[in-house]
Amino acid sequence: MNSNQAPTLARPIEANDYEPWNQLWLDYQVFYEVKLPAEVTRTTFDRFLDPDEPVFSTVATQGDRLIGFVNSVVHRSTWSTADFCYLEDLYVSPTARGGGTGKLLIESVQALARQRQCARLYWHTHETNKRAQKLYDWVAQKSGFIEYRMSL
């Protein structure tokens, strides 16, 4: 961070964050080569604001600009009496990468999982996302599990 740059802060998403969050969300989809329907995007965002939903989003800001987000889901597990926390999405604007924003956002989910007394915080990434893996290898341990999917 240079002396003219605002510090990077993490905070829970707010209703007036929709437009800048949505732009980052669309950039995230381009990165993963997917296109989600607008209805999914709007429903996802609305769930973040609903206190009865176990879905959360934290945004990273520099001044009044959103530069990243992390989305997580708290859910039951058959392996624990306590819930698990799944870090589902993490995205940092390319212009803000390399400055600790990703780590800050992961730590915000870690704090949420601890606050909610979760037994585990976990996530996965695509095998080609080498840059993210460098961060993940630094802050966490690989589980050894491989994901499989079945069309529904």
Side-chain angles (χ1 to χ4, degrees):
M1 178 173 73
N2 66 44
S3 59
N4 296 334
Q5 190 175 29
T8 301
L9 303 174
R11 63 164 172 78
I13 203 161
E14 299 170 352
N16 62 352
D17 290 328
Y18 181 77
E19 290 303 324
W21 173 86
N22 187 49
Q23 185 55 60
L24 292 171
W25 182 242
L26 291 171
D27 294 344
Y28 177 70
Q29 291 176 55
V30 168
F31 179 82
Y32 276 113
E33 300 176 356
V34 298
K35 184 165 178 50
L36 298 173
E39 177 186 11
V40 170
T41 295
R42 189 70 232 190
T43 299
T44 296
F45 189 85
D46 291 345
R47 286 175 177 163
F48 297 147
L49 305 176
D50 184 342
D52 294 328
E53 287 283 349
V55 181
F56 305 90
S57 185
T58 297
V59 294
T61 63
Q62 282 183 337
D64 60 356
R65 190 171 72 105
L66 262 62
I67 61 167
F69 66 81
V70 64
N71 303 327
S72 57
V73 179
V74 173
H75 64 87
R76 300 282 191 220
S77 170
T78 60
W79 288 36
S80 173
T81 57
D83 291 341
F84 281 9
C85 183
Y86 175 55
L87 188 160
E88 189 160 11
D89 310 296
L90 174 65
Y91 185 77
V92 175
S93 173
T95 60
R97 291 181 187 157
T101 303
K103 183 175 184 288
L104 176 70
L105 288 167
I106 291 169
E107 288 171 343
S108 75
V109 177
Q110 182 184 38
L112 171 79
R114 285 179 174 158
Q115 175 191 21
R116 297 182 69 88
Q117 299 180 330
C118 293
R120 177 179 296 165
L121 167 58
Y122 70 103
W123 64 91
H124 62 266
T125 193
H126 196 272
E127 64 186 349
T128 61
N129 193 351
K130 300 298 184 190
R131 183 173 187 148
Q133 289 178 55
K134 287 181 185 177
L135 170 61
Y136 302 158
D137 289 345
W138 181 43
V139 301
Q141 304 79 41
K142 288 182 181 175
S143 68
F145 282 87
I146 298 170
E147 177 183 303
Y148 291 88
R149 294 181 184 178
M150 182 180 286
S151 297
L152 302 177

